[in-house]
Amino acid sequence: MASDELDGEVKTFKSLGLCDQLVEAVAKLDWQNPTPIQVEAIPHALEGKDLIGLAQTGSGKTAAFALPILQALIDSPHAFFACVLAPTRELAIQISEQFEALGYEFGAKSAVLVGGVDMVQQTIMLAKRPHIIVATPGRLMDHVSNTKGFSLRTLKYLVLDEADRLLNEDFEKTLDDILKVIPRERRTYLFSATMTKKVKKLQRACLRNPVKIEVASKYSTVDTLKQQYRFLPSQHKDCYLVYILTEKCQCTTMVFTRTCDATLLLATMLRNLGIRATPISGHMSQSKRLGALNMFKAGECNVLICTDVASRGLDIPSVDMVINYDIPSNSKDYIHRVGRTARAGRSGVAISLVNQYELEWYIQIEKLIGKKLPEFPAQEVEVLQFLERVTEAKRLATSKLKEKGSKKRKGGGNEGEDDVDIGKYLGQKDVKSKKFTKR
């Protein structure tokens, strides 16, 4: 329970001990009052304590570590002051943007080091000696190993955001290497939506007498989130997806799939049906991933088809609905996916489409969140009215993507999968496909 609830007083950013410059900065961002994780974390951080912060996604974790770091930077400014590690490129970019927005008035500079971007450009940024480094682990080690004149010897703060994800097999060894080349005398903040055995192991390895802050139960979803499921035969899953998107056509929606290929196929199919959809996945170049994200944020498309690359940390305030087109095999990923909606006190809807092969995974999700979810109401006869048009739209999408792949192979294979200009052919309309509404 947060301290403002204990003493009956509504906390302000000023009352947490932040300096006037940062109080003014949050006011300019129109942040009214600190969130529970900020209320709990910021005072301890300002006292110089190491932190373990456990909170639901969308709870304001970034500001909970950014504000204390910026206050320390104001008192003692120097280059390479803090490093934040994040599991995805998009999350790293977003964290950097928040640091720069909060530190704009006193000139705080950050640099983003992620894959998919030219290392020479990043080397030029590092030569300008930014205060904050925000990075994915692999690219940070690339620069530590290969960029002349760059080191983390002056580092005062290390932040591990989405720490449970950073400790999977993709990052664990690299993270160990990073911990070997940074100063032992530092402040360390570990933030995560979930506490796992690996997170506990990391806590013992790199934190000193940390303060543990937990403002949510271990695996919980917010009360403002309406969660439903629909059990259906696998051959009708596309029909149910189109039915829901048509019924709720005014909603901004994120649709989660299991594979990168599925994002492209579904987005193309939905475009053939007149639904404004765009894909985002790890197979796309960084510029195209950001382009898709910006289109979605700007309202140019209202359906984002994504893999779990978009389930962590991305702050897209206007998401009304999340659809689990594929049920995640790891039930903890469900928490992160549905956390893309109902953020910062807003309401939201999450609908899971469960076929006969995914039932066991879905049962594990209900066990994890500790509740039985109601079924999404739909008359199958109404849903199957879409069957003929959905089948044709998917056939056209499959044919178009096969043709695109064939042309790319004949062209000598110089163009990587992530360099395919998706927007170019997603925007084309097929003469046989027409925008439609429910009959």
Side-chain angles (χ1 to χ4, degrees):
M1 184 177 290
S3 56
D4 57 334
E5 295 172 350
L6 290 172
D7 57 23
E9 177 190 353
V10 176
K11 293 289 185 182
T12 64
F13 285 101
K14 180 70 173 176
S15 70
L16 300 183
L18 292 174
C19 64
D20 291 341
Q21 285 173 288
L22 289 175
V23 171
E24 289 173 13
V26 297
K28 286 180 179 178
L29 295 175
D30 200 28
W31 296 356
Q32 303 298 323
N33 298 103
T35 66
I37 187 67
Q38 292 162 7
V39 168
E40 294 288 349
I42 290 172
H44 290 300
L46 293 177
E47 290 172 4
K49 304 285 182 62
D50 283 5
L51 298 179
I52 299 172
L54 301 177
Q56 296 158 326
T57 185
S59 61
K61 294 196 296 288
T62 303
F65 61 74
L67 287 166
I69 289 172
L70 288 170
Q71 181 142 318
L73 180 65
I74 291 171
D75 293 338
S76 177
H78 65 75
F80 308 127
F81 187 79
C83 177
V84 183
L85 294 177
T88 68
R89 303 167 183 179
E90 289 77 17
L91 179 54
I93 291 166
Q94 186 172 284
I95 291 168
S96 174
E97 288 173 348
Q98 190 153 126
F99 266 103
E100 294 214 336
L102 289 168
Y104 176 77
E105 292 297 331
F106 52 91
K109 299 296 182 185
S110 68
V112 179
L113 306 180
V114 296
V117 178
D118 181 35
M119 278 193 65
V120 174
Q121 293 178 357
Q122 294 174 350
T123 300
I124 292 169
M125 285 194 299
L126 291 175
K128 295 177 182 177
R129 300 179 61 77
H131 304 104
I132 313 293
I133 300 290
V134 189
T136 49
R139 181 50 62 95
L140 179 64
M141 275 309 297
D142 286 344
H143 281 286
V144 169
S145 303
N146 302 310
T147 299
K148 189 175 180 180
F150 171 62
S151 85
L152 297 172
R153 288 193 296 269
T154 62
L155 196 73
K156 300 297 182 187
Y157 287 84
L158 174 68
V159 181
L160 304 171
D161 197 18
E162 302 289 357
D164 52 335
R165 179 86 174 272
L166 283 172
L167 290 167
N168 67 20
E169 60 188 21
D170 296 330
F171 297 119
E172 192 168 7
K173 183 184 182 304
T174 307
L175 195 56
D176 287 341
D177 293 338
I178 291 169
L179 292 174
K180 291 173 184 174
V181 298
I182 61 175
R184 291 182 176 231
E185 291 297 323
R186 64 173 191 271
R187 297 275 65 83
T188 306
Y189 302 154
L190 187 156
F191 280 83
S192 179
T194 56
M195 175 61 93
T196 65
K197 290 179 181 177
K198 287 187 176 181
V199 173
K200 288 180 180 177
K201 179 182 174 183
L202 180 64
Q203 167 194 337
R204 293 192 297 271
C206 73
L207 279 75
R208 297 186 179 186
N209 300 318
V211 176
K212 183 178 178 182
I213 298 153
E214 188 168 7
V215 297
S217 59
K218 188 177 181 184
Y219 301 113
S220 66
T221 52
V222 294
D223 294 335
T224 53
L225 175 64
K226 179 182 179 182
Q227 301 173 80
Q228 298 173 305
Y229 78 98
R230 181 70 189 199
F231 187 62
L232 45 82
S234 60
Q235 68 266 31
H236 292 158
K237 185 177 277 194
D238 292 329
C239 262
Y240 274 89
L241 174 65
V242 172
Y243 173 82
I244 294 168
L245 292 175
T246 306
E247 286 287 299
K248 299 181 180 293
C249 59
Q250 301 304 314
C251 291
T252 53
T253 304
M254 295 179 74
V255 178
F256 282 96
T257 69
R258 190 168 296 115
T259 68
C260 297
D261 290 341
T263 63
L264 193 52
L265 178 60
L266 281 182
T268 310
M269 180 192 80
L270 293 174
R271 286 284 183 110
N272 288 340
L273 293 167
I275 295 171
R276 292 178 298 141
T278 192
I280 182 171
S281 77
H283 281 180
M284 295 165 63
S285 68
Q286 185 61 31
S287 61
K288 287 182 172 55
R289 283 161 67 170
L290 288 175
L293 203 55
N294 289 334
M295 281 177 60
F296 185 64
K297 286 182 174 182
E300 294 174 27
C301 68
N302 67 330
V303 179
L304 188 68
I305 314 293
C306 43
T307 57
D308 283 309
V309 72
S311 70
R312 299 274 187 140
L314 297 188
D315 185 18
I316 311 171
S318 60
V319 177
D320 302 312
M321 179 168 62
V322 166
I323 297 176
N324 286 303
Y325 177 86
D326 291 320
I327 302 303
S329 56
N330 184 341
S331 50
K332 293 170 191 172
D333 288 336
Y334 174 86
I335 303 292
H336 296 290
R337 288 182 179 188
V338 302
R340 298 304 95 214
T341 186
R343 297 171 74 84
R346 289 179 289 267
S347 60
V349 176
I351 301 171
S352 297
L353 304 180
V354 188
N355 68 27
Q356 64 269 35
Y357 308 110
E358 301 168 314
L359 184 57
E360 186 58 39
W361 291 337
Y362 177 74
I363 291 170
Q364 292 304 315
I365 289 169
E366 287 195 330
K367 286 181 180 177
L368 184 74
I369 63 177
K371 63 176 78 170
K372 293 280 185 184
L373 301 183
E375 188 169 18
F376 174 77
Q379 295 295 321
E380 188 170 272
V381 65
E382 292 187 18
V383 175
L384 294 185
Q385 286 180 3
F386 293 108
L387 182 59
E388 184 178 344
R389 283 168 288 172
V390 169
T391 301
E392 176 65 4
K394 191 166 188 178
R395 184 191 68 78
L396 290 169
T398 302
S399 175
K400 185 176 288 186
L401 295 181
K402 282 183 178 177
E403 181 183 348
K404 185 79 175 180
S406 176
K407 285 181 179 179
K408 188 179 70 174
R409 286 191 295 274
K410 287 178 181 177
N414 292 327
E415 185 180 21
E417 178 66 26
D418 60 344
D419 291 326
V420 173
D421 189 352
I422 293 164
K424 184 176 179 181
Y425 67 87
L426 280 185
Q428 295 172 353
K429 290 194 174 182
D430 195 289
V431 293
K432 295 181 182 179
S433 303
K434 297 179 181 178
K435 187 170 183 176
F436 65 94
T437 55
K438 182 172 175 284
R439 287 176 178 169

